[in-house]
Amino acid sequence: MTQLGSNTDQHLATISEKSAHNYAPLPVVIATGEGCWVTDVDGKKYLDILSAYSAVNFGHQNPVIAEAFINQVRTLTLTSRAFNNDQFGPFCDLITSIFGYDMVLPMNTGAEAVETALKTARKWGYDVKGIAPNQAEIICCTGNFHGRTITVISFSDDPCNKPFGPMTPGFKIVQYGDPDALEKAITPNTVGFLVEPIQGEGGIIIPPDGYLTKVREICTKHNILMMADEIQSGLGRTGKLLACDHENVKPDVLILGKALGGGVMPVSAVLANKEIMGVFNPGDHGSTFGGNPLACAVAQTALNLLVDDKLPERALEVGTPFIEKLKTIKSPLVKEVRGRGLLIGIELVPEAGGAKQFCKKLMNEGILCKESHDHVIRIAPPLVITTEDLDWAFPRIEKVLTEGH
Ligand SMILES: *Cc1c(COP(=O)(O)O)cnc(C)c1O
């Protein structure tokens, strides 16, 4: 192997040759992280304002989470659900009491939790609602992102999912943000409506005010389950514990993931009340790693930090003025700045040629972020970010968006 080039170049060459090209990452190779800052293999520092799509809400190497993780690693890590472990009960108790549901079903990744919610709705439809076998229908939204499994991509309208058919039947897609479209699509076989309160991957799309309230009313009226995917929008990101809290709406089925794992491991969960979650019997569903003691210890620590450190309030306090500041950027490239708390999108005009090149320019300025959809620069830093860090970032973002214009 050649010894020429930077450490970064050597890593990039290996990664490009030896790993599947299912991602097109920015050409940075991170070696260490602390708080909102990361350092690459050549010693260059960057401000991380993506936070692994909200999975690193507590910051890199959060000392409280790291300690809980290390203690549990040295105690007990995995038993499978063939046995119980002493972290599982306390985890179930904490998460159900924080979010106000009777029961929880723990999984690992977000997509698994979404699959779990879909299974919950179908079984509820057959056992409780009395729908004929194999007839259950679930309604989803345009522009949705709920993960990458075959069933989950079966109700995606993103063209990238086309080459993976045949798709799982039983799903309908209606316009996001339009409650009438939802109501029109409901049939006697409908069991549930799956919705992101704010679409993250879809381009930081905030539905019209009152949308979630109307969705809640329609779901109740037609006796179908409102299932909220809060994997990205939940756990403080938008300035409330859940994005649904902005309208005081309580979904029947709540899906959590990403930040629940404290940035150290995949932990996801589905919450619902007994009439709904009670449909599961032994053998119906499971996961070797779901509910493992390490995950439960980390998730309890993450949830306690979220509440004790008032991170939702923080997200609102530092996020709201930052959104206002971003709106002052005068550039013909910017179509709209929108956001809630620390989930922020800068939508560029199509003539700007796509958000990705601007993320590359930001990288050269020492800021790491990622486009969401083609034309939106997503800003979603760890919730522990300080106003000083954001003040450092602002002129750099402004420069990249105004340079040459
Ligand atoms: C990231 C995400 C998922 C999928 O989570 P994975 O852990 O990547 O499987 C599902 N729904 C939403 C809204 C997400 O942002």
Side-chain angles (χ1 to χ4, degrees):
M1 250 191 69
T2 170
Q3 292 302 305
L4 293 173
S6 64
N7 294 329
T8 297
D9 290 341
Q10 291 180 25
H11 277 278
L12 292 179
T14 308
I15 291 166
S16 167
E17 193 185 324
K18 306 282 184 176
S19 84
H21 292 188
N22 58 323
Y23 277 93
L26 288 177
V28 59
V29 182
I30 299 169
T32 63
E34 198 178 340
C36 299
W37 293 85
V38 295
T39 305
D40 76 8
V41 287
D42 290 305
K44 187 171 177 203
K45 265 185 103 174
Y46 302 86
L47 183 67
D48 175 7
I49 59 168
L50 175 66
S51 62
Y53 311 99
S54 288
V56 186
N57 277 6
F58 304 95
H60 295 277
Q61 261 198 84
N62 182 293
V64 182
I65 289 172
E67 196 191 323
F69 180 87
I70 290 165
N71 287 341
Q72 192 61 39
V73 162
R74 296 204 174 281
T75 309
L76 181 75
T77 52
L78 187 60
T79 59
S80 85
R81 296 279 309 276
F83 316 126
N84 293 293
N85 70 75
D86 73 349
Q87 296 299 313
F88 186 52
F91 161 75
C92 296
D93 200 36
L94 181 67
I95 196 167
T96 53
S97 77
I98 288 177
F99 296 102
Y101 291 91
D102 295 340
M103 293 174 149
V104 61
L105 198 162
M107 296 296 279
N108 312 284
T109 66
E112 284 178 322
V114 171
E115 292 263 358
T116 301
L118 300 174
K119 286 176 82 171
T120 308
R122 284 185 172 184
K123 188 123 199 297
W124 174 85
Y126 301 128
D127 289 3
V128 179
K129 207 175 169 182
I131 288 170
N134 298 319
Q135 299 304 306
E137 291 168 3
I138 292 173
I139 302 172
C140 310
C141 293
T142 53
N144 74 69
F145 181 85
H146 298 287
R148 300 291 196 168
T149 63
I150 293 267
T151 288
V152 169
I153 63 166
S154 294
F155 49 82
S156 161
D157 57 2
D158 189 325
C160 78
N161 291 314
K162 280 243 162 65
F164 299 99
M167 296 298 175
T168 307
F171 298 97
K172 274 187 189 171
I173 299 180
V174 300
Q175 184 64 41
Y176 183 65
D178 180 355
D180 295 337
L182 164 65
E183 190 156 31
K184 279 197 196 105
I186 294 172
T187 75
N189 288 332
T190 307
V191 294
F193 177 55
L194 175 64
V195 64
E196 298 157 88
I198 293 178
Q199 289 185 332
E201 297 313 299
I204 319 299
I205 308 294
I206 305 171
D209 284 345
Y211 174 62
L212 298 172
T213 308
K214 283 194 187 127
V215 163
R216 177 65 278 179
E217 284 166 15
I218 292 166
C219 289
T220 304
K221 180 175 153 198
H222 295 274
N223 191 28
I224 68 171
L225 302 181
M226 177 181 178
M227 299 183 278
D229 180 347
E230 293 249 21
I231 290 170
Q232 185 162 162
S233 60
L235 303 181
R237 171 59 54 192
T238 69
K240 300 262 187 191
L241 209 46
L242 299 173
C244 282
D245 293 344
H246 288 285
E247 293 196 21
N248 291 316
V249 160
K250 190 172 177 190
D252 300 299
V253 177
L254 173 65
I255 310 168
L256 298 175
K258 294 207 164 104
L260 191 56
V264 297
M265 60 191 302
V267 185
S268 64
V270 179
L271 293 116
N273 281 341
K274 211 170 173 177
E275 318 83 77
I276 297 165
M277 199 56 94
V279 299
F280 284 110
N281 296 316
D284 282 353
H285 190 48
S287 158
T288 303
F289 283 85
N292 72 73
L294 184 56
C296 289
V298 164
Q300 284 176 77
T301 309
L303 289 169
N304 282 326
L305 261 185
L306 187 69
V307 175
D308 295 346
D309 288 3
K310 298 192 165 55
L311 291 182
E313 290 85 342
R314 250 195 86 82
L316 208 60
E317 249 170 59
V318 299
T320 308
F322 192 63
I323 295 169
E324 291 313 311
K325 213 166 160 185
L326 289 172
K327 284 182 179 167
T328 65
I329 295 178
K330 288 194 173 44
S331 163
L333 301 175
V334 177
K335 185 173 166 200
E336 187 185 36
V337 174
R338 55 180 177 258
R340 202 160 266 172
L342 281 171
L343 186 57
I344 304 167
I346 303 174
E347 181 168 351
L348 306 179
V349 296
E351 302 80 63
K356 177 142 195 184
Q357 50 168 318
F358 294 93
C359 295
K360 278 198 183 132
K361 287 182 185 168
L362 283 168
M363 181 187 137
N364 294 332
E365 298 290 327
I367 296 175
L368 293 181
C369 67
K370 169 91 171 88
E371 74 276 11
S372 163
H373 239 237
D374 292 340
H375 301 291
V376 180
I377 301 173
R378 166 188 6 216
I379 298 180
L383 305 187
V384 294
I385 199 164
T386 60
T387 301
E388 292 81 75
D389 284 339
L390 289 172
D391 286 347
W392 179 88
F394 180 76
R396 290 164 173 84
I397 297 171
E398 186 175 42
K399 177 182 163 201
V400 161
L401 290 173
T402 51
E403 226 164 27
H405 291 274

